[in-house]
Amino acid sequence: MTMGEKTDKTPRNLKEEMRDYKEKLLEVSRKASRCGRSLKQREGEVRDLQKTLTKLVTLTELSRILNSTLEPGTVRRRAMQAATELMEAEVGSLLLIDEETNQLYFEVALGDKEEAVKTFHLKMGEGIAGWVAQHGEPLIVHDAQSDPRFFRDVDKKSKFTTKNVVCVPVKVKEKTIGVLEAINKLDGGAFSEEDLSLFQSLADQVAVALDNARLLTEIEELFFQTASCLADAIEKRDPYTGGHTKRVTTYSLAIAEQLDLDAEDIRWLKLASILHDIGKIGVEDKILRKPDKLNEEEYDQMKQHTLMGAEIIGHIKQLHWIIPGLKYHHEKVDGKGYPEGLADGYIPLIAKIVAVADTFDAMTSDRPYRKAMLKEEAFDELRRSCGTQFDKVLVDAFIKAFETGKI
Ligand SMILES: [Fe+2]
């Protein structure tokens, strides 16, 4: 095949590639065991065996990464690292198409020039990657510098020299959503037809992983928006709490960021913040909408919203992680809160965070029977209540988030 000529090989899947490598492995080991070979021949066969073994291990690793439940960004990066290793290339990139601008941007660009490379956006048809994206066909370029499609600006800015390239489209249901490219075969070698075929099968697997991640994100967004609508509908019954849920969620997430909680905990905290008062659906209008302070009996009824919220969500087994946030967000660290009067060490973190966020918003919002406090007054009140109502670490984190402009 000449420089830049496209392949007509049909891409195969990873399983087929792995089967081929296993067969090659067996063949080489059979050859190596035959007698009468010269030492030089044997050395070559052992090198082939090692190369094939390395490819097999990398393929297995890549398949594991793509099927893992890691965060999508991490999956893309690790997959690209394994793919570059498999291609025996100096660097590799994953470029995706921005549907709004119809341009390619670097989602992953391996190597120490990543920051410089990521500032580039390629027009459709621009450069080798743009050509592959536009035509939806794979390409090997053996001498990039003399190829008219080569886009020099990326090299100039990143002070890198592109010698040869293998580039394949990433397609979801026949639609090109991006490209994978591996640049500069190591040891001055050339990319082969075998490389191209293998790279294309990897790209097909990457496409499946990317599409799964997109679907997951969409489902998750739909779920959070549905939960927010539900909370909003309940909030609408109470004329004094407009926007409360959104603010409590913002405050809780700001505390979580200060505490450096992991992504999974933040996800549950976000949902608990959105749904923390869902139990108010079971509180009578005359109590919920009462413009004056509640009497003791009414207050007792209002307190039930914590248990009712926990009961409602208790029917959804996948959401059991957020129940403590709903049930215990009115507990106090001195044990004088409700519904169970739990003391500090027994109150779950998720509930303690929602408590700070919820109380701050209540203090800084107008009520019919009192005016809203200024933020500074509310901060002082939170500080005064450390050790009785709130956990000091969380109050400090919350105030710091405000002071550093995170809220
Ligand atoms: Fe509440």
Side-chain angles (χ1 to χ4, degrees):
M1 194 169 87
T2 56
M3 179 188 74
E5 199 178 328
K6 66 187 189 210
T7 180
D8 56 1
K9 258 186 131 178
T10 311
R12 297 171 305 162
N13 63 34
L14 272 182
K15 272 190 185 159
E16 286 170 348
E17 296 285 353
M18 285 174 76
R19 200 175 51 229
D20 276 6
Y21 278 104
K22 276 182 190 161
E23 275 167 18
K24 275 185 194 166
L25 194 65
L26 285 169
E27 191 192 330
V28 176
S29 85
R30 269 197 301 271
K31 278 184 189 167
S33 63
R34 276 184 215 136
C35 300
R37 298 267 180 194
S38 72
L39 189 58
K40 208 174 173 187
Q41 274 175 316
R42 290 222 177 153
E43 274 175 3
E45 282 163 356
V46 168
R47 265 199 304 278
D48 283 350
L49 184 68
Q50 281 171 336
K51 265 191 171 180
T52 310
L53 252 177
T54 308
K55 283 194 172 180
L56 190 62
V57 168
T58 314
L59 265 178
T60 314
E61 173 65 7
L62 202 104
S63 189
R64 191 190 63 74
I65 293 166
L66 289 173
N67 290 311
S68 70
T69 53
L70 288 168
E71 183 267 324
T74 313
V75 170
R76 283 169 217 167
R77 186 162 200 85
R78 290 211 194 153
M80 207 55 233
Q81 283 164 340
T84 307
E85 205 176 299
L86 201 65
M87 289 295 105
E88 296 170 318
E90 195 178 340
V91 291
S93 309
L94 165 64
L95 294 97
L96 296 177
I97 297 170
D98 180 334
E99 287 206 335
E100 277 181 26
T101 61
N102 203 30
Q103 290 188 341
L104 285 156
Y105 64 93
F106 286 85
E107 170 69 22
V108 181
L110 300 179
D112 53 2
K113 308 290 194 296
E114 178 158 21
E115 289 313 310
V117 169
K118 276 191 162 177
T119 59
F120 277 96
H121 284 230
L122 298 175
K123 291 186 197 117
M124 198 54 78
E126 189 172 53
I128 291 161
W131 188 94
V132 170
Q134 189 173 46
H135 292 82
E137 290 169 8
L139 189 68
I140 293 181
V141 175
H142 293 296
D143 181 5
Q145 298 296 329
S146 64
D147 192 292
R149 290 166 292 205
F150 181 58
F151 182 66
R152 288 165 203 289
D153 292 15
V154 180
D155 267 17
K156 265 188 213 159
K157 180 141 189 188
S158 58
K159 296 185 177 65
F160 183 86
T161 305
T162 301
K163 294 170 196 150
N164 46 22
V165 181
V166 56
C167 187
V168 292
V170 178
K171 290 184 179 181
V172 172
K173 296 185 188 100
E174 297 302 311
K175 186 182 169 198
T176 304
I177 62 159
V179 302
L180 279 187
E181 64 176 2
I183 300 172
N184 294 354
K185 186 85 172 174
L186 291 174
D187 303 325
F191 290 112
S192 65
E193 278 294 310
E194 191 182 302
D195 288 331
L196 190 76
S197 169
L198 183 58
F199 207 32
Q200 184 62 69
S201 15
L202 292 183
D204 295 342
Q205 299 293 312
V206 168
V208 173
L210 285 174
D211 202 38
N212 285 344
R214 180 189 62 80
L215 284 173
L216 196 67
T217 307
E218 269 183 22
I219 291 170
E220 190 152 308
E221 269 175 25
L222 177 69
F223 174 63
F224 274 105
Q225 282 169 8
T226 308
S228 296
C229 278
L230 184 63
D232 210 34
I234 296 159
E235 205 176 275
K236 288 274 186 288
R237 288 179 59 215
D238 182 347
Y240 314 114
T241 55
H244 173 71
T245 306
K246 275 200 182 74
R247 291 191 296 272
V248 170
T249 307
T250 303
Y251 298 157
S252 292
L253 295 182
I255 295 171
E257 197 187 328
Q258 293 296 318
L259 298 178
D260 210 14
L261 296 188
D262 67 36
E264 190 69 0
D265 286 341
I266 290 176
R267 194 168 155 266
W268 295 126
L269 175 65
K270 182 179 175 185
L271 197 57
S273 303
I274 292 170
L275 296 174
H276 74 282
D277 272 344
I278 193 180
K280 284 188 178 172
I281 193 128
V283 176
E284 288 176 62
D285 265 1
K286 66 174 185 184
I287 296 171
L288 200 66
R289 301 168 71 95
K290 186 175 174 181
D292 307 312
K293 271 197 156 184
L294 302 179
N295 63 36
E296 205 179 320
E297 192 189 326
E298 291 164 338
Y299 189 47
D300 279 344
Q301 271 201 51
M302 183 63 111
K303 285 178 182 173
Q304 294 298 309
H305 80 276
T306 52
L307 297 172
M308 287 190 277
E311 193 190 330
I312 292 166
I313 297 301
H315 296 295
I316 310 172
K317 73 172 191 298
Q318 290 87 346
L319 297 188
H320 73 277
W321 292 106
I322 71 163
I323 292 175
L326 278 55
K327 193 170 179 181
Y328 300 124
H329 70 275
H330 287 287
E331 295 289 359
K332 297 179 180 180
V333 297
D334 62 4
K336 292 179 180 168
Y338 66 86
E340 293 183 10
L342 298 180
D344 190 10
Y346 296 92
I347 309 172
L349 179 66
I350 192 169
K352 289 205 266 187
I353 294 174
V354 176
V356 174
D358 186 28
T359 311
F360 179 80
D361 189 61
M363 288 192 291
T364 50
S365 301
D366 282 330
R367 289 286 183 271
Y369 50 89
R370 62 153 174 80
K371 288 296 286 177
M373 276 185 195
L374 295 172
K375 279 181 183 148
E376 280 306 327
E377 292 172 330
F379 289 151
D380 286 342
E381 187 56 38
L382 288 180
R383 286 190 191 100
R384 268 195 297 277
S385 304
C386 284
T388 52
Q389 189 168 353
F390 306 115
D391 184 324
K392 184 174 184 309
V393 173
L394 304 185
V395 168
D396 288 346
F398 179 60
I399 294 173
K400 193 176 172 198
F402 256 104
E403 287 172 349
T404 53
K406 301 277 170 56
I407 302 176

